[in-house]
Amino acid sequence: MISKKDAKSYSIIPQEINSVKVALQQMELIKENQEMKLETLHTDFLNRELVAIEKKEAIKHLKEKVESQNYELAKYDLLYITEYSAQYKYYKAVVESPISQEAINLVKLIQEHQYTGIVVYPNAVHWNPVQRPQQIMMDLAKRGFLCFFCDSSQSVDIHKEHEKLYIVSNQSHLLQALQNFHVLVMNTWLMQNAWTEHLPHKTIWYDVLDRVDFFSFYDKGMLAAHYQNLYEADIVTYSAQALSEYIYKREDALYLPNAVKIEDFDMTNHELVMPEDLLTIIDGNSKIIGYYGAIEEWFDTELVSKLANHKNVKIVLIGHCGLSELELPENVYLLGSKPYSELSRYTSYFDAMIIPFLVNDLTNAVSPVKFFEYCAIGKPIISTPIAEVLQYEGPGITLVNTSEFSSLDPTFWNLNSKGIRHLQNIANENQWKNRTSTILDFMEKSPSFLPVLANKKDEKNEVNVFAATFLDYEGGNYYSGGAERYLVDLHEVCVELGLKLNIYQYGDFSWYRKYKDIDVYSLGHESLCMDEFTMDNLLSFSRRFDYMAKGRSMLNIYSAFFQSYPNIAHPSIGISHGVAWDSPHSQFEDGFQFWNLNEKYIQSADQLQKLVSVDTNTANWFQTVSYETSLKIETIPNYVDQNEFFPVQREGDDKIRIVYPRRLYRPRGLYITLDIVDRILNDYPNVEFHFVGKGFPEDLQAIYDKMEQWAGRIYCYHSEPEDMHLVYKNSDIVLIPTLYSEGTSLSCLEACATGNTVIATRVGGLTDIIIDHYNGLLIHPDKESLEEAVRICLDNPEKMKKFGENAIEVSKAFNKDIWKKRWKTVVKDVLQNHGVEWVPKSENDLKTQTIEITIGSEIEKSEWLPYVTDCLKQGMTVFIRSTLKPEMNLSFERIQWLPLEAEVYFVPDKVKKFV
Amino acid sequence: MYTIDTIKDQYFNQEHLEIQLDKLKTVYLKKTIEIMELEKKAEILQNKLTYSDQQMNGYMEELQVLQIQIDGMEVALNNARNRVQFELDYANRRRYYESTYDSVDTECFNKVLTDEKNASRVIISLDGMEFNIERASGLMEDLSEKDYVCLHFERDLDTDVRRIRKNNYAYKSEVQLLGWLKSIDLKPVLLVNSVQQTALLDLIDAKYIWYDICNHGEALWGEQADAKMQHFNLLDIADMVTFSDRKFKRYTLYRKDSMMWKPYKGFYEILNKIFLGEFCTDDK
């Protein structure tokens, strides 16, 4: 009965019934919708199933086609080369693409490590089962090398296997990341070359560990590739004596058989838990013979079967079985693959170990890793007499010919002390750590290993400048032009901020030089040089700087700013040394042509975060093209150091010296000057012309011709920037007759500061310095105007005097201290806007420590090579002067080879001679 | 004031309505569960579809990769089918030279030996691609000025042998050249810069071989394994190995004594040593 308390109010029940009815109707609708949806999904799913079947069929069909094409290709010996070419092209595209974020992360990871060198094993095998390359990588990592093992089966991009040892799943990213490092590449499979080929800086260690005809894709093409590898590799090793068939042409090849890491099989202090899949096999009554490794066509099933026929014997096989048909007795158990770390758990329950390999050319050329591991395990070994095991015959090792074998000797199972000792000796003498020592000793005897030790350690405070040239393409001859002097002074600014400024430039090989305290690097390498001045080449250099900068630079400066086209790394500042694109080629028929020629200037300025211009002309030009771009241009005019450039009382002679103080070539107005000398010298007997600067032979010849005509009145010489003040202090009129490509000329400012009368054209940023008829004459860029201006000066000494006085006053506005202060603000602002913080370093901490080593022609490399190796390991930068003509690729970052007589622009911290 | 009956009626009526409401609620609950089940089924199916989509993407990707692979293979095969195989080319050339050289007139070459006083120091370059011939002609011109008697191949010559200047000759028939070399007692240096030239080279018994690499491997032996192996063979047997650009040095690494030789920059002493028999091939 409903109590009054419980009963609902009578009036609301019908309402509630109605609501539920409405809700039910809605539910019905929802249900219908849901059913329809389900039906649609079901239909979709069925359709997908059908499509999946179709696709699977199509894949099967294509795979069959690949198979038949492979068969066809094999007929032409194109099996290897076709696959290789496809991979080669893929990796080529990778290194020609912008650097990926994953690659940048890898670069950062590399920078986080202190390492002796970088070692890579490109993708060939999986990490498991752990074999020779893996063991060597593990040991190299232990010795301070940063190792990357590429294994495409890994699901994560990068996995830290051990300290300094990483497994990388996508080797494309690694390829991009390593473009600016020198790498030791361990190569065991010829297909790895497709990746390795695109590494610019490498030492190749070709480790021949199987017969070449054993590999997939084997054909004559692969054999040819093997020989190429054999001759090109810096170091060649081989794992089995029988492989000498393939390597005999490399007399320096090193026999390096496989080995064992004993610790991994020493079960003394381990509490062992029986693996689950052994629980049903181990019964206490049977002896267990164990095997681990691959089961392929060379697996001796007959021997295994014969052994299985023994009473109370069970055989356990661990490893991947690649055989489609494998008939074995019931007491042979296939457990599949197990991780390397699990193997000892299994082997500790075995009573004996077996190597059941058919004896043939293939297996005779194999040094089974498992043999040495079995020795370390210390249980009786039964093996077929393959060549690399045969040499170790002795107690504890039973060699059997399968055809002759019938039964095991009952004593086989009991390993006596002799047997134990024999196996121990083999294991002790064949350890991976010994192999690594052997190979490192071997490598350290070769100069080609030095670059592996020479990767520079980046500082956090690095400001990297990308300039076309600072030194010449070979790393010699400092250009000493305005842009170079600008960078030298910018270096000073950075040092005062506690930052390290490096310069990267075009070059013919991978050189590094120092100019005073500035580190200058060539971005070139063995196959990227400036022999050809092509757009492709320039793009490659641009990409190389970009790859270097991203992940390594704190700040990037582009000098000139259009070096940032098309690749740019931030934080970024560009420098405009003036409008450099106003040459006589600036004649456009239409907008399209204009765009084509100016695209790189416009786009690079647009991409940069900050643009510093030496003149207002640059900003004004940009304002006509992109108003917004012009707003991010900050004009910091060039400067003059008044402590160096100041007026002096001229020595009393009656000569009037007209100085042309710049590069001796057409854009700077050389020829309009030469055009007027005859008339001026003729009309003014006390005038002399001085052409001061460097020039190309044909331009110099034009001056020499005039000199011959006007002996004693025309001079031509070069003066180093630090001596230029003496030239100005001894001159009267300075000509800056630029035709095009001009900023705020340093020569012009220096001439002003020393009180000279300046005659300049109205080109570029010269209008920022010279006010016509106030501190000089500003003229039209032609010979008539120049001649007229010179005559005005010569005819009006009072005017000249006034111009000189005003020039000194104007020059004070271009004080070097102001320039430095403004640059410091720019650098700080850009870094701050980018959230970059830094701890300033002292000037000494920013310097690279260098040693110069001279090697006499008669000196054996065994005398100097260990010393150089030690210097590199200690982090020094080594310059070797030698009469030897080493390969260009032996120079890389901290190891540089110089001809005996090479001129350098720095004083090494240490000097050592081997003469 | 309610009567008992009225209250009873009302009570029953209410009870009836409440039962009805309860039933309806049960139906509602059932429907809700049904819908939830349907939703669950839909979700499972949706997941299956998503998985199936991923699988499909995988298939599509695999198909694409396979198709690219097949396209690449087809291109490689078509190229292979359309090009003369090195082995066959070698055999054909060799057969042709062998069958014709002793029936041609070689008198035109004899004048070379009578005209030049240094007739024991003869260097001959062979036929090849345009770039091979150009490079060889440049070297021959340079060396003829250094007093070597040089002969280079020129396809469009109007005579059999033409004297260009002192020590410098052009010839137009390799068969005549072979016939001449077979007929005289002379051990010339043969400048070889293409593996195709080995068909002729192998027929000349008395010779010194100067192997000069002047282009990329793709142009010199391409993808043909036999041609590449022939290159290695040439490296092995050559008396001197040179290359024209640092880019090509890698092809010569088997020979540690290889060197860069650009036209007009000579390593003449080595050539002299070859002629004097001092040059040995041990340092490979």
Side-chain angles (χ1 to χ4, degrees):
Chain A
M1 190 184 268
I2 299 164
S3 69
K4 202 160 187 182
K5 195 181 160 197
D6 294 337
K8 291 190 176 183
S9 152
Y10 175 74
S11 59
I12 66 158
I13 293 175
Q15 276 178 25
E16 218 172 312
I17 286 173
N18 279 339
S19 305
V20 176
K21 277 184 177 170
V22 171
L24 267 173
Q25 278 170 359
Q26 283 170 350
M27 291 296 268
E28 196 57 42
L29 278 173
I30 292 169
K31 193 186 161 195
E32 272 173 32
N33 281 341
Q34 201 60 40
E35 277 170 347
M36 274 167 63
K37 187 182 167 189
L38 203 62
E39 206 177 311
T40 315
L41 284 173
H42 198 67
T43 316
D44 277 359
F45 184 70
L46 286 178
N47 286 341
R48 302 280 160 98
E49 291 274 88
L50 287 174
V51 178
I53 291 169
E54 275 174 31
K55 297 289 173 209
K56 278 187 204 166
E57 273 300 305
I59 288 169
K60 195 179 154 203
H61 173 70
L62 289 185
K63 278 186 174 168
E64 281 167 6
K65 205 167 173 189
V66 167
E67 193 110 327
S68 71
Q69 298 275 58
N70 270 339
Y71 181 73
E72 277 289 295
L73 286 168
K75 279 199 235 167
Y76 294 98
D77 281 318
L78 288 173
L79 203 54
Y80 166 78
I81 197 78
T82 307
E83 179 62 26
Y84 174 82
S85 302
Q87 290 196 24
Y88 177 91
K89 279 179 199 155
Y90 170 75
Y91 290 117
K92 185 172 189 286
V94 165
V95 294
E96 287 176 356
S97 306
I99 188 165
S100 66
Q101 189 52 50
E102 289 86 346
I104 294 171
N105 294 343
L106 278 163
V107 172
K108 286 180 181 163
L109 183 137
I110 293 170
Q111 295 306 316
E112 282 165 14
H113 285 83
Q114 291 280 352
Y115 57 86
T116 311
I118 299 173
V119 189
V120 177
Y121 183 74
N123 190 19
V125 293
H126 300 315
W127 178 258
N128 272 306
V130 174
Q131 291 282 310
R132 178 185 177 96
Q134 294 88 327
Q135 291 285 8
I136 290 173
M137 298 288 271
M138 282 193 276
D139 210 58
L140 284 170
K142 258 189 180 174
R143 290 163 192 252
F145 286 86
L146 181 59
C147 300
F148 294 97
F149 183 94
C150 302
D151 176 359
S152 60
S153 74
Q154 297 284 317
S155 54
V156 283
D157 271 346
I158 184 151
H159 160 73
K160 187 174 180 175
E161 181 68 23
H162 290 290
E163 192 56 40
K164 291 198 170 79
L165 171 59
Y166 293 87
I167 304 181
V168 178
S169 66
N170 189 334
Q171 61 178 7
S172 302
H173 299 313
L174 187 65
L175 184 61
Q176 285 193 332
L178 294 175
Q179 288 298 299
N180 288 288
F181 294 93
H182 193 102
V183 179
L184 172 66
V185 183
M186 186 183 183
N187 180 310
T188 62
W189 183 39
L190 292 155
M191 208 56 86
Q192 289 172 312
N193 292 3
W195 183 88
T196 312
E197 273 286 314
H198 299 289
L199 268 185
H201 312 288
K202 59 194 173 250
T203 297
I204 307 269
W205 167 17
Y206 184 31
D207 185 34
V208 183
L209 44 78
D210 273 310
R211 290 180 60 85
V212 180
D213 55 9
F214 167 76
F215 291 103
S216 48
F217 298 105
Y218 175 76
D219 62 3
K220 225 186 264 180
M222 187 181 250
L223 189 63
H226 158 75
Y227 283 112
Q228 188 177 322
N229 240 24
L230 192 71
Y231 303 145
E232 287 186 8
D234 300 281
I235 291 127
V236 176
T237 53
Y238 59 108
S239 64
Q241 296 287 7
L243 291 170
S244 51
E245 172 190 345
Y246 288 105
I247 51 87
Y248 73 94
K249 289 198 174 182
R250 272 293 292 249
E251 286 168 2
D252 59 344
L254 175 74
Y255 173 52
L256 196 75
N258 281 327
V260 59
K261 188 175 172 192
I262 293 177
E263 307 90 277
D264 291 348
F265 295 89
D266 180 9
M267 293 291 110
T268 327
N269 295 319
H270 285 69
E271 203 174 300
L272 290 170
V273 181
M274 189 185 287
E276 260 184 40
D277 44 2
L278 282 187
L279 289 172
T280 53
I281 301 169
I282 310 282
D283 56 13
N285 299 322
S286 308
K287 295 280 188 190
I288 309 289
I289 300 178
Y291 167 86
Y292 60 79
I295 300 165
E296 299 287 350
E297 71 275 15
W298 34 260
F299 191 82
D300 192 345
T301 47
E302 190 188 341
L303 177 63
V304 172
S305 299
K306 280 184 172 178
L307 285 166
N309 280 339
H310 286 68
K311 198 181 168 196
N312 292 334
V313 164
K314 289 180 178 177
I315 297 177
V316 175
L317 307 177
I318 295 171
H320 170 75
C321 178
L323 298 175
S324 52
E325 285 177 19
L326 182 65
E327 278 186 27
L328 289 167
E330 274 181 5
N331 56 340
V332 179
Y333 302 87
L334 266 84
L335 303 189
S337 303
K338 305 288 170 199
Y340 174 75
S341 56
E342 289 287 297
L343 289 178
S344 53
R345 269 183 71 209
Y346 284 84
T347 58
S348 61
Y349 291 95
F350 297 161
D351 299 289
M353 306 302 299
I354 184 172
I355 302 177
F357 289 179
L358 297 169
V359 181
N360 55 33
D361 285 350
L362 176 70
T363 53
N364 275 332
V366 168
S367 166
V369 177
K370 62 178 77 45
F371 170 70
F372 301 103
E373 292 172 349
Y374 288 180
C375 291
I377 290 164
K379 294 189 175 170
I381 299 169
I382 180 165
S383 173
T384 51
I386 55 170
E388 288 295 313
V389 173
L390 197 58
Q391 56 181 311
Y392 297 104
E393 189 177 10
I397 299 167
T398 306
L399 298 178
V400 293
N401 284 310
T402 307
S403 56
E404 296 161 9
F405 176 72
S406 57
S407 66
L408 279 171
D409 189 305
T411 60
F412 166 78
W413 303 102
N414 305 318
L415 199 58
N416 59 23
S417 58
K418 268 189 177 174
I420 292 170
R421 218 170 26 251
H422 183 55
L423 297 186
Q424 269 175 356
N425 285 344
I426 294 171
N428 286 334
E429 284 162 18
N430 293 279
Q431 296 190 60
W432 284 118
K433 59 184 179 190
N434 304 344
R435 296 286 185 267
T436 317
S437 297
T438 307
I439 190 67
L440 284 176
D441 287 349
F442 184 63
M443 285 180 185
E444 287 183 6
K445 288 187 180 104
S446 163
S448 64
F449 185 64
L450 293 175
V452 175
L453 308 171
N455 287 300
K456 79 178 178 97
K457 181 76 189 153
D458 291 334
E459 303 293 337
K460 283 191 175 142
N461 291 16
E462 292 201 351
V463 174
N464 291 315
V465 177
F466 183 25
T469 52
F470 183 80
L471 304 177
D472 67 20
Y473 297 144
E474 301 278 327
N477 196 22
Y478 168 62
Y479 278 122
S480 77
E484 289 79 27
R485 287 164 64 190
Y486 195 95
L487 291 179
V488 172
D489 290 327
L490 198 54
H491 172 259
E492 210 175 296
V493 169
C494 286
V495 169
E496 286 172 20
L497 287 170
L499 302 172
K500 185 175 193 313
L501 180 139
N502 304 313
I503 297 171
Y504 287 82
Q505 66 155 82
Y506 302 153
D508 281 347
F509 62 99
S510 185
W511 52 259
Y512 154 76
R513 300 287 183 266
K514 273 185 85 170
Y515 180 80
K516 294 175 181 169
D517 283 332
I518 309 175
D519 290 342
V520 187
Y521 296 90
S522 154
L523 290 163
H525 53 77
E526 206 182 354
S527 45
L528 176 64
C529 64
M530 290 302 289
D531 273 2
E532 292 163 21
F533 200 83
T534 61
M535 187 44 90
D536 267 358
N537 252 6
L538 299 187
L539 287 178
S540 296
F541 277 108
S542 161
R543 201 164 42 237
R544 277 187 63 73
F545 180 77
D546 204 52
Y547 273 43
M548 186 286 302
K550 285 177 177 159
R552 293 173 88 168
S553 286
M554 191 175 79
L555 173 65
N556 304 292
I557 297 181
Y558 295 89
S559 173
F561 71 95
F562 43 83
Q563 289 295 121
S564 66
Y565 178 84
N567 301 298
I568 185 161
H570 297 305
S572 59
I573 302 174
I575 302 172
S576 169
H577 296 286
V579 171
W581 51 99
D582 58 349
S583 74
H585 295 294
S586 292
Q587 294 289 339
F588 308 106
E589 283 177 13
D590 51 36
F592 186 69
Q593 217 181 50
F594 172 85
W595 175 255
N596 268 347
L597 225 75
N598 293 312
E599 183 191 6
K600 79 168 178 177
Y601 307 112
I602 298 166
Q603 288 209 351
S604 52
D606 189 45
Q607 291 183 116
L608 284 158
Q609 289 170 328
K610 184 80 186 175
L611 184 49
V612 171
S613 173
V614 300
D615 62 12
T616 52
N617 190 38
T618 306
N620 290 338
W621 187 88
F622 272 104
Q623 195 158 335
T624 67
V625 181
S626 162
Y627 188 85
E628 264 187 38
T629 303
S630 75
L631 293 183
K632 67 175 163 189
I633 300 177
E634 181 165 339
T635 303
I636 305 180
N638 276 335
Y639 47 89
V640 58
D641 187 348
Q642 264 105 3
N643 295 322
E644 197 181 349
F645 294 90
F646 50 84
V648 290
Q649 189 65 40
R650 271 282 310 279
E651 278 175 30
D653 61 12
D654 60 346
K655 303 278 185 218
I656 294 187
R657 295 195 176 86
I658 302 177
V659 173
Y660 169 104
R662 34 231 339 257
R663 189 166 288 192
L664 306 167
Y665 74 149
R666 186 175 300 277
R668 290 284 173 264
L670 173 67
Y671 288 94
I672 62 170
T673 309
L674 287 175
D675 279 345
I676 69 165
V677 294
D678 289 343
R679 284 187 296 279
I680 297 294
L681 290 177
N682 197 45
D683 295 353
Y684 301 91
N686 58 340
V687 164
E688 285 176 0
F689 275 91
H690 290 242
F691 292 88
V692 187
K694 289 180 181 175
F696 297 111
E698 60 271 28
D699 297 319
L700 288 172
Q701 192 54 51
I703 302 170
Y704 298 154
D705 291 346
K706 287 283 178 204
M707 284 167 73
E708 215 176 301
Q709 198 183 329
W710 295 95
R713 296 191 64 193
I714 300 180
Y715 299 88
C716 180
Y717 48 90
H718 170 69
S719 180
E720 291 301 329
E722 53 270 29
D723 298 326
M724 272 307 287
H725 66 105
L726 298 172
V727 175
Y728 293 119
K729 284 169 186 167
N730 210 22
S731 60
D732 303 282
I733 299 170
V734 172
L735 305 182
I736 312 289
T738 305
L739 299 183
Y740 51 89
S741 189
E742 184 65 275
T744 38
S745 157
L746 291 175
S747 313
C748 184
L749 287 166
E750 289 162 2
C752 287
T754 44
N756 277 282
T757 298
V758 178
I759 299 172
T761 53
R762 52 98 186 117
V763 174
L766 294 173
T767 53
D768 290 351
I769 307 171
I770 301 299
I771 304 159
D772 193 21
H773 280 86
Y774 177 71
N775 62 337
L777 294 172
L778 203 60
I779 63 166
H780 190 73
D782 64 19
K783 61 181 178 187
E784 289 79 15
S785 306
L786 181 63
E787 185 177 339
E788 190 189 337
V790 171
R791 284 182 188 279
I792 288 172
C793 293
L794 293 173
D795 294 341
N796 299 280
E798 277 311 305
K799 261 192 182 174
M800 264 176 71
K801 192 170 170 249
K802 190 73 194 157
F803 290 163
E805 285 165 4
N806 290 341
I808 294 165
E809 281 309 304
V810 169
S811 74
K812 289 175 185 165
F814 296 88
N815 185 293
K816 192 175 177 183
D817 291 336
I818 301 172
W819 177 82
K820 282 166 94 172
K821 202 173 160 192
R822 291 191 62 188
W823 252 106
K824 283 178 190 169
T825 309
V826 168
V827 170
K828 283 181 191 165
D829 285 352
V830 170
L831 289 176
Q832 197 177 3
N833 291 342
H834 225 265
V836 179
E837 288 176 7
W838 79 97
V839 181
K841 288 198 167 184
S842 72
E843 195 172 343
N844 260 345
D845 287 345
L846 295 171
K847 282 181 190 165
T848 305
Q849 296 300 306
T850 55
I851 178 165
E852 187 177 288
I853 299 172
T854 306
I855 301 169
S857 54
E858 303 294 316
I859 306 298
E860 291 291 321
K861 68 180 176 190
S862 58
E863 288 183 48
W864 56 266
L865 199 48
Y867 184 80
V868 175
T869 304
D870 278 351
C871 288
L872 288 172
K873 284 182 179 171
Q874 285 165 27
M876 298 199 81
T877 296
V878 181
F879 287 86
I880 300 180
R881 285 184 183 274
S882 160
T883 47
L884 301 170
K885 211 174 169 231
E887 301 304 320
M888 276 178 210
N889 60 355
L890 288 186
S891 283
F892 178 79
E893 293 192 344
R894 291 192 296 112
I895 176 80
Q896 295 293 324
W897 293 75
L898 300 169
L900 266 184
E901 69 287 356
E903 184 190 2
V904 292
Y905 298 97
F906 69 99
V907 181
D909 300 294
K910 211 172 159 186
V911 173
K912 174 91 181 167
K913 288 188 190 318
F914 289 90
V915 285
Chain B
M1 204 52 199
Y2 295 109
T3 65
I4 295 287
D5 286 345
T6 320
I7 289 166
K8 259 187 179 172
D9 282 353
Q10 198 177 334
Y11 176 79
F12 284 127
N13 204 12
Q14 179 162 358
E15 196 175 47
H16 172 73
L17 283 173
E18 282 187 358
I19 289 167
Q20 199 180 343
L21 183 62
D22 281 349
K23 289 287 176 202
L24 279 170
K25 279 186 176 172
T26 311
V27 174
Y28 184 86
L29 191 67
K30 199 180 152 202
K31 287 269 177 225
T32 308
I33 291 166
E34 277 175 8
I35 287 171
M36 276 168 67
E37 273 171 4
L38 283 171
E39 275 173 353
K40 205 173 175 183
K41 274 186 188 168
E43 196 187 323
I44 291 168
L45 215 49
Q46 190 62 58
N47 286 343
K48 276 186 173 176
L49 271 171
T50 310
Y51 175 71
S52 165
D53 279 348
Q54 284 168 354
Q55 226 178 7
M56 203 64 70
N57 287 340
Y59 292 149
M60 297 300 282
E61 213 171 289
E62 195 175 351
L63 275 169
Q64 211 178 350
V65 170
L66 280 166
Q67 196 54 56
I68 290 168
Q69 193 182 355
I70 287 168
D71 291 347
M73 287 169 141
E74 265 167 17
V75 170
L77 274 172
N78 282 337
N79 288 342
R81 285 180 194 123
N82 293 331
R83 108 185 123 213
V84 182
Q85 295 302 299
F86 175 78
E87 258 184 329
L88 188 65
D89 178 62
Y90 176 91
N92 287 343
R93 279 172 190 255
R94 192 178 166 119
R95 205 175 308 121
Y96 167 70
Y97 294 133
E98 277 176 322
S99 62
T100 50
Y101 80 85
D102 55 359
S103 57
V104 291
D105 179 13
T106 60
E107 188 51 37
C108 51
F109 278 94
N110 287 334
K111 218 171 156 345
V112 175
L113 297 183
T114 50
D115 282 2
E116 305 297 345
K117 62 176 183 180
N118 268 326
S120 60
R121 304 199 324 166
V122 177
I123 306 175
I124 303 167
S125 66
L126 306 176
D127 186 10
M129 306 274 277
E130 212 45 51
F131 64 83
N132 299 123
I133 295 174
E134 268 174 35
R135 159 87 174 161
S137 306
L139 290 170
M140 294 293 100
E141 194 182 328
D142 175 35
L143 289 163
S144 66
E145 284 168 13
K146 305 286 171 190
D147 239 15
Y148 296 94
V149 178
C150 298
L151 292 99
H152 66 269
F153 179 84
E154 248 183 70
R155 199 163 287 128
D156 303 321
L157 220 55
D158 47 5
T159 58
D160 290 336
V161 174
R162 187 156 67 89
R163 187 177 198 253
I164 298 164
R165 68 176 75 87
K166 186 183 169 231
N167 287 333
N168 193 4
Y169 293 82
Y171 68 93
K172 74 168 182 184
S173 164
E174 287 190 316
V175 176
Q176 277 181 317
L177 174 76
L178 178 63
W180 177 58
L181 290 175
K182 289 262 187 200
S183 68
I184 56 160
D185 180 22
L186 178 73
K187 196 171 175 182
V189 167
L190 295 173
L191 169 59
V192 182
N193 54 16
S194 149
V195 288
Q196 275 74 22
Q197 293 162 347
T198 51
L200 179 69
L201 187 76
D202 291 349
L203 291 171
I204 301 166
D205 302 321
K207 71 206 168 210
Y208 299 106
I209 301 172
W210 168 10
Y211 186 29
D212 180 55
I213 308 279
C214 60
N215 211 324
H216 286 285
E218 293 88 59
L220 291 173
W221 49 81
E223 295 187 338
Q224 297 207 51
D226 284 317
K228 196 169 179 179
M229 294 299 266
Q230 186 66 278
H231 155 69
F232 291 133
N233 183 45
L234 272 172
L235 286 179
D236 212 357
I237 61 172
D239 297 280
M240 178 165 83
V241 177
T242 57
F243 49 92
S244 63
D245 189 297
R246 73 180 218 202
K247 289 196 281 283
F248 310 138
K249 182 174 171 61
R250 62 176 299 191
Y251 301 126
T252 70
L253 289 176
Y254 175 48
R255 288 290 294 255
K256 289 194 174 58
D257 57 346
S258 68
M259 60 197 157
M260 185 145 94
W261 192 333
K262 286 184 175 170
Y264 314 111
K265 283 190 180 177
F267 285 59
Y268 307 106
E269 314 87 66
I270 292 162
L271 267 178
N272 283 339
K273 281 182 181 176
I274 289 179
F275 283 114
L276 292 169
E278 289 176 15
F279 197 80
C280 58
T281 55
D282 296 344
D283 186 24
K284 288 174 188 171

